[in-house]
């Protein structure tokens, strides 16, 4: 069905509202509050060069057996003003001790910033970010960041090194667990939600902390999926697929940005003026400060673009790096570089201004101990309402990948045998960035099931994570004689994903897969509960298991959240934020690929394919089942162009099953003929909707001109008139399509 309108009507309207709606993302970009500039400049005027360089310096405290400690040397650096910022220092007691040195024992009494990796929780731990992304629930994701900030600021912290917004299309890269998956549109909306959550209503509120957009930029595309490896792609590809999430986070108001370890276009990010000045400052208008990743200035010597640390510091400062994390390069060499005219006083002063502005914004000069209220700390950490929030977000993050023979939901009359190394485990559940979370505070799956019904299940380990010992198989298999259902909890250890944890193989470690397949041979229903930090390649389990839940690592409330889904207390609603490959040979695999000149045709040899594997993923981006079913009618496109929308798409959605359930309705768009090659589809809208059994709802999408814009042949950003395919459905493959001329 084609919606034809007057050939010139839509392009004209496009042009009109293109003028009207400046970048819609521009809403809340960080701008210094009124009156702060005078105070910053007054303080700057009093500072010595060493004190200025101290503000550009960030050191970690050390990790003792009971938590962070600090070398006497660092305390002297604070005392002398040589270190103006710390990370990995938390609890009100420790922060108060260190802040006291800065505000009572230094010449100018400039308060310290206290940063920490509060990635998905401080003490109450939420699902890993890739898991939260699977909820497609922006409110839930914002809530997770909000509770994380409430607890972290109650424990002395005022700066988090999050959100990580690196697009991840390669599950060999361990840090996909930390982001929001493969898509720029979903990743941008999630980045905005996380910035809002961490920074709260206003910087300066006692429960607001500085967000830090990382890792700028393109860190998620290392060659071979190997962490820290080279990143190289065309500027067009980089701008269309990898930059949008950083821009969205900056325009959502993020106060700080962290540079990435990788090089981009041959220049390491910490020395890359194109990234830090042309794009971040000039194109996006960012006014916060830029901090490097851990010693990434020093590492430019290894990259081979400078001969020594001193030159690295000069390259970094001149590119736009304000703060040196743990490298002590600025502290050791910047005054010499200034004397030699290799850097300017103005550049140093501007970096100090950017940092001081945010210390003023936070209210640290009025009350440097505002985050050090021990009473508040005691009440806030692991508060019941925080655990309840964690359970809610965790339930929403679970993806039902398979459910045959109506194996799920379980009923309490069934006798369950829980098997596998993650069935009775607490130590892995908080994932790789576990903040100040304690494993002992976690609810294991075994405890979660016991909370439902203590009497009707038993636990058998079956096997370990990596140990090749199969002696536990026999007990597990024998349980089939007395029990109705196997629930098998398998996956990765937390440190098998995350930083410096790339994997060349994507199967289940050890003999876990064999255990599952042996249990499938008994004929009893086998419900596989996956706990992992990345898409896995598990084709045999996909084929033979009766039901499969992807549960990521869900944090403190893991066991309760999974039990809620297993027993149908919560109807699973998650959708995959990343494609799951059939085999590692398909990687990188992602839904928004381009057509190529020889798109796959099963009837022709000469088309883009493998001779030993399918092209399609095991489970596609946006995929997730429910205990109920949903039906989409054909979408209708009303090319109503207003100041905000490029077009309006509506679709009728019905819950055709017997249970209430939430569906994530997704809108994809394809520009059929562009001035450059375009993806076969791109996510341009989604809505998560609760429908009662039999309920029908009209769902409307209103993508903006910005949503439909891309980098055209001449590298200008904008839309192009022509024919588009509009697609709507519950995942990126099963879609109802209609064509429209725009
Ligand atoms: C690490 C990570 C970064 C983190 C920083 C501070 O190397 O790359 O994400 O925020 O160091 O811990």
């Amino acid at each position: 069905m084609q919606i034809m309108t007057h050939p010139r009507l839509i392009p004209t309207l496009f042009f009109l509202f293109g003028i009207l709606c400046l970048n819609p993302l521009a809403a809340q970009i960080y701008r210094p509050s009124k009156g702060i500039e005078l105070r910053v400049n007054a303080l700057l005027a009093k500072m010595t060069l060493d004190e200025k360089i101290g503000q550009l310096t960030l050191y970690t405290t050390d990790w003792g057996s009971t938590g962070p400690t600090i070398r006497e040397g660092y305390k002297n650096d604070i005392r002398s003003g040589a270190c103006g910022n710390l990370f990995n220092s938390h609890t009100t007691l420790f922060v108060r001790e260190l802040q006291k040195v800065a505000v009572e024992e230094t010449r100018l009494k400039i308060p310290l910033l206290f940063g920490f990796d509060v990635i998905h929780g401080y003490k109450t731990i939420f699902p890993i970010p890739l898991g939260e992304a699977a909820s497609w629930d922006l409110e839930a994701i914002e809530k997770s960041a909000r509770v994380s900030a409430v607890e972290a600021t109650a424990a002395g912290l005022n700066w988090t090194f999050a959100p990580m917004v690196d697009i991840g299309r390669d599950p060999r890269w361990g840090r996909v667990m930390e982001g929001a998956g493969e898509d720029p549109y979903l990743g941008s909306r999630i980045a905005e939600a996380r910035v809002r959550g961490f920074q709260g209503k206003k910087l300066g509120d006692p429960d607001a902390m500085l967000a830090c957009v990382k890792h700028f930029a393109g860190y998620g595309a290392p060659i071979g999926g190997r962490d820290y490896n080279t990143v190289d792609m065309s500027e067009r590809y980089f701008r269309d697929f990898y930059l949008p999430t950083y821009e969205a986070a900056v325009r959502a108001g993020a106060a700080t940005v962290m540079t990435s370890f990788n090089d981009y276009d041959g220049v390491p990010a910490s020395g890359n003026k194109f990234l830090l000045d042309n794009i971040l400052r000039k194109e996006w208008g960012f006014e916060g400060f830029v901090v490097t990743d851990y010693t990434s200035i020093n590492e430019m010597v290894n990259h081979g673009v400078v001969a020594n640390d001193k030159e690295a510091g000069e390259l970094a400062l001149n590119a736009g790096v304000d703060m040196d994390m743990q490298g002590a390069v600025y502290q050791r060499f910047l005054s010499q570089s200034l004397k030699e005219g290799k850097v300017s006083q103005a550049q140093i002063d501007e970096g100090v201004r950017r940092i001081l502005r945010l210390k003023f914004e936070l209210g640290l000069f009025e009350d440097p101990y505002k985050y050090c209220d021990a009473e508040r700390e005691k009440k806030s950490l692991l508060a019941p309402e925080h655990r309840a929030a964690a359970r809610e977000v965790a339930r929403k993050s679970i993806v039902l990948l398979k459910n045959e023979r109506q194996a799920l939901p379980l009923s309490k009359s069934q006798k369950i045998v829980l098997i596998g190394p993650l069935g009775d485990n607490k130590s892995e559940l908080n994932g790789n960035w576990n903040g100040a979370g304690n494993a002992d505070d976690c609810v294991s799956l075994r405890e979660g099931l016991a909370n439902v019904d203590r009497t009707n299940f038993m636990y058998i380990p079956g096997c370990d994570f990596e140990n090749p010992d199969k002696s536990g198989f026999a007990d597990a298999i024998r349980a089939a004689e007395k029990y109705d259902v196997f629930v098998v909890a398998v996956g990765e250890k937390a440190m098998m994903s995350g930083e410096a944890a790339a994997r060349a193989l994507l199967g289940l470690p050890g003999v876990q897969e064999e255990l599952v397949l042996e249990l499938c041979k008994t004929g009893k229903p086998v419900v596989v509960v996956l706990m992992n930090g990345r898409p896995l390649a598990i084709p045999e389990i996909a084929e033979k298991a009766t039901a499969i839940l992807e549960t990521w690592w869900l944090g403190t409330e893991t066991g309760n959240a999974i039990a809620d889904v297993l027993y149908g207390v919560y109807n699973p609603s998650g959708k995959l934020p990343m494609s799951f490959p059939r085999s590692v040979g398909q990687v990188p695999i992602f839904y928004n690929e381009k057509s190529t000149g020889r798109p796959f045709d099963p009837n022709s040899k000469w088309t883009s394919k493998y001779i030993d594997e399918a092209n399609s993923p095991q489970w596609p981006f946006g995929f997730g089942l429910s205990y109920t079913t949903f039906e989409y009618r054909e979408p209708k496109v009303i090319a109503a162009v207003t100041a905000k929308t490029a077009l309006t798409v509506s679709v009728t959605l019905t819950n055709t099953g017997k249970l209430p359930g939430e569906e994530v309705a997704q809108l994809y768009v394809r520009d059929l003929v562009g001035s450059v090659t375009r993806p076969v589809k791109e996510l341009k809208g989604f809505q998560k909707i609760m429908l009662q059994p039999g309920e029908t709802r009209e769902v409307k999408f209103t993508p903006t001109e910005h949503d439909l814009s891309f980098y055209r042949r001449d590298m200008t950003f904008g839309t192009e008139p022509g024919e588009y395919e509009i697609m709507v459905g519950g995942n990126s493959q099963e879609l109802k399509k209609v064509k429209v001329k725009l």
Side-chain angles (χ1 to χ4, degrees):
M1 172 183 67
Q2 278 203 329
I3 310 246
M4 301 307 285
T5 57
H6 180 282
R8 293 307 305 158
L9 168 66
I10 297 301
T12 314
L13 290 168
F14 254 136
F15 173 72
L16 282 177
F17 77 73
I19 299 173
L20 294 174
C21 67
L22 296 172
N23 184 323
L25 298 171
Q28 318 87 339
I29 192 163
Y30 163 64
R31 289 287 174 262
S33 309
K34 292 262 168 301
I36 276 187
E37 212 54 21
L38 286 176
R39 301 175 68 188
V40 166
N41 286 328
L43 177 53
L44 191 71
K46 296 179 199 158
M47 294 171 76
T48 65
L49 176 60
D50 285 350
E51 286 163 340
K52 290 179 180 175
I53 293 171
Q55 289 302 307
L56 307 181
T57 297
L58 169 67
Y59 284 149
T60 179
T61 51
D62 302 310
W63 284 98
S65 54
T66 56
T69 61
I70 189 160
R71 267 166 274 185
E72 223 20 67
Y74 279 175
K75 250 189 186 172
N76 294 334
D77 283 339
I78 297 170
R79 216 167 261 120
S80 67
C83 166
N85 311 282
L86 285 173
F87 67 115
N88 292 330
S89 333
H90 51 97
T91 72
T92 54
L93 192 65
F94 192 38
V95 168
R96 181 178 288 277
E97 174 198 338
L98 299 173
Q99 193 69 293
K100 195 167 183 303
V101 175
V103 298
E104 295 181 18
E105 298 179 41
T106 65
R107 192 175 76 85
L108 291 173
K109 309 185 182 337
I110 300 174
L112 300 165
L113 281 181
F114 287 91
F116 191 45
D117 290 284
V118 183
I119 309 296
H120 53 102
Y122 171 72
K123 191 60 81 179
T124 304
I125 305 299
F126 286 76
I128 58 170
L130 189 64
E132 283 186 356
S135 74
W136 293 56
D137 184 327
L138 299 179
E139 262 175 56
I141 291 168
E142 182 172 342
K143 174 82 181 167
S144 163
R146 187 83 293 267
V147 170
S148 304
V150 165
E151 290 197 351
T153 54
L157 294 161
N158 43 49
W159 182 24
T160 178
F161 302 136
M164 184 277 220
V165 303
D166 307 324
I167 288 290
R169 293 169 145 184
D170 187 335
R172 293 173 297 180
W173 187 54
R175 298 194 79 164
V176 292
M177 55 73 68
E178 213 175 319
E182 70 191 48
D183 180 71
Y185 184 87
L186 176 64
S188 297
R189 303 297 77 77
I190 289 174
E192 292 157 353
R194 286 184 169 142
V195 168
R196 289 194 300 268
F198 287 124
Q199 298 195 166
K201 291 193 183 66
K202 184 170 65 60
L203 292 183
D205 287 350
D207 63 5
M209 64 194 316
L210 304 180
C212 183
V213 188
K214 69 184 187 183
H215 305 80
F216 192 62
Y219 181 35
I223 292 173
R226 213 176 67 225
D227 205 358
Y228 315 124
N229 205 0
T230 301
V231 169
D232 213 345
M233 62 183 85
S234 70
E235 184 182 337
R236 177 195 313 285
Y237 209 79
F238 189 60
R239 285 179 176 278
D240 274 338
F241 293 99
Y242 286 85
L243 277 181
T245 50
Y246 304 102
E247 181 177 5
V250 164
R251 293 187 184 284
T256 72
V257 168
M258 183 187 293
T259 62
S260 55
F261 289 118
N262 58 283
D263 61 340
Y264 169 70
D265 193 21
V267 182
S270 300
N272 195 313
K273 198 170 175 61
F274 170 69
L275 292 179
L276 302 181
D277 195 40
N278 299 37
I279 292 183
L280 186 61
R281 300 280 178 198
K282 294 193 169 71
E283 282 185 33
W284 299 348
F286 178 62
E287 292 196 50
F289 71 75
V290 172
V291 62
T292 68
D293 203 338
Y294 201 105
T295 66
S296 59
I297 293 180
N298 318 54
E299 292 167 16
M300 293 202 279
V301 178
N302 295 336
H303 274 288
V305 289
V306 287
N308 54 55
D309 282 2
K310 175 173 173 295
E311 287 179 21
E314 290 154 4
L315 179 62
L317 190 83
N318 289 325
V321 167
D322 302 309
M323 192 185 287
D324 168 8
M325 180 193 284
Q326 195 56 16
V329 173
Y330 283 4
Q331 196 200 44
R332 284 177 290 145
F333 301 109
L334 221 39
S335 49
Q336 184 55 32
S337 301
L338 179 65
K339 275 197 198 88
E340 294 169 5
K342 304 281 179 53
V343 296
S344 70
Q345 185 66 56
Q347 188 80 30
I348 291 174
D349 288 354
E350 189 47 31
V352 176
R353 267 195 206 92
R354 290 168 179 154
I355 293 160
L356 291 181
R357 275 191 201 114
L358 286 166
K359 291 189 177 184
F360 277 109
E361 293 283 8
L362 288 171
L364 286 172
F365 285 88
E366 282 71 22
D367 177 5
Y369 302 110
K370 66 188 285 183
Y371 299 96
C372 298
D373 174 347
E375 262 320 292
R376 178 184 156 205
E377 181 180 40
K378 210 156 118 248
K379 264 196 282 199
S380 179
L381 306 192
L382 284 170
E385 65 272 21
H386 294 168
R387 292 194 78 126
R391 180 170 182 167
E392 188 56 28
V393 176
R395 308 193 313 189
K396 294 182 169 198
S397 303
I398 294 173
V399 185
L400 177 61
L401 294 175
K402 185 178 183 184
N403 187 20
E404 286 179 350
R405 296 159 52 186
Q406 296 313 310
L408 293 177
L410 302 174
S411 81
K412 287 186 186 169
S413 61
Q414 289 173 292
K415 291 202 297 231
I416 314 289
V417 54
L418 173 63
I419 292 177
L422 280 152
D424 189 26
N425 174 286
K426 290 175 179 260
S427 60
E428 309 306 324
L429 307 184
N430 284 337
N432 183 284
W433 277 118
N434 48 21
N438 296 321
D440 296 348
D441 296 324
C442 289
V443 178
S444 69
L445 178 50
R446 184 178 189 176
E447 288 166 337
L449 292 176
N451 290 342
V452 174
D453 180 342
R454 188 163 302 284
T455 56
N456 225 358
F457 87 99
M458 71 174 283
Y459 172 67
I460 301 173
C463 71
D464 189 6
F465 283 99
E466 294 169 283
N467 186 321
D469 173 14
K470 299 185 207 175
S471 59
F473 281 27
D475 277 355
I477 293 164
R478 220 185 339 271
E481 292 154 16
K482 286 188 291 183
Y483 289 84
D484 304 321
V485 187
F486 287 112
V487 174
V488 195
V490 288
E492 295 179 305
K493 295 187 81 157
M495 291 304 159
M496 290 177 177
S497 67
E499 183 172 356
R503 289 183 63 195
L505 302 172
L506 294 175
L508 284 176
V511 294
Q512 299 178 88
E513 175 150 353
E514 284 178 66
L515 173 62
V516 172
L517 298 177
E518 284 304 313
L519 296 173
C520 292
K521 288 176 188 165
T522 65
K524 285 287 171 68
V526 175
V527 176
V528 174
V529 175
L530 293 171
M531 298 187 197
N532 45 296
R534 58 163 42 92
L536 297 173
I538 47 172
E540 285 208 70
I541 289 179
E543 187 198 333
K544 300 207 173 87
T546 321
I548 302 172
L549 284 179
E550 173 53 74
T551 71
W552 320 103
W553 287 297
L554 295 171
T556 308
E557 285 292 319
T558 295
N560 287 331
I562 298 175
D564 288 344
V565 168
L566 286 172
Y567 282 95
V569 172
Y570 180 78
N571 182 354
S573 62
K575 301 278 187 178
L576 294 179
M578 261 185 97
S579 309
F580 273 49
R582 295 173 190 278
S583 61
V584 68
Q586 294 177 298
V587 163
I589 183 170
F590 44 90
Y591 85 93
N592 47 358
E593 60 181 9
K594 298 198 173 178
S595 166
T596 79
R598 294 192 171 189
F600 173 59
D601 171 353
N603 306 313
S604 161
K605 171 181 169 63
W606 315 102
T607 62
S608 181
K609 67 178 182 302
Y610 302 100
I611 59 172
D612 56 356
E613 182 56 278
N615 283 13
S616 60
Q618 185 74 53
W619 294 293
F621 173 80
F623 178 83
L625 301 172
S626 167
Y627 293 151
T628 186
T629 50
F630 298 98
E631 192 178 273
Y632 291 81
R633 305 260 174 78
E634 299 299 323
K636 290 198 287 298
V637 181
I638 314 146
V641 174
T642 67
K644 282 211 180 298
T645 61
L647 71 161
T648 300
V649 182
S650 83
V651 67
T652 303
L653 174 63
T654 303
N655 176 343
T656 49
K658 298 189 177 58
L659 291 169
E662 292 159 288
E663 168 69 335
V664 180
Q666 301 155 44
L667 168 74
Y668 295 88
V669 174
R670 178 177 187 175
D671 174 2
L672 290 166
V673 177
S675 57
V676 291
T677 53
R678 308 283 293 116
V680 295
K681 60 190 77 163
E682 291 179 281
L683 180 74
K684 293 300 176 188
F686 61 90
Q687 290 189 37
K688 187 161 191 173
I689 297 156
M690 166 61 85
L691 290 175
Q692 296 306 315
E695 184 183 358
T696 292
R697 187 94 59 84
E698 189 188 15
V699 186
K700 275 199 177 147
F701 301 96
T702 54
T704 64
E705 192 205 8
H706 182 274
D707 291 335
L708 301 188
S709 295
F710 63 99
Y711 283 83
R712 298 172 289 204
R713 177 82 65 81
D714 62 0
M715 283 304 280
T716 56
F717 183 69
T719 53
E720 289 180 345
E723 201 170 28
Y724 286 73
E725 209 163 42
I726 307 297
M727 300 163 262
V728 185
N731 65 65
S732 60
Q733 274 184 353
E734 296 162 271
L735 295 165
K736 302 263 180 173
K737 305 181 179 186
V738 66
K739 282 191 177 155
V740 64
K741 258 195 177 319
L742 293 176

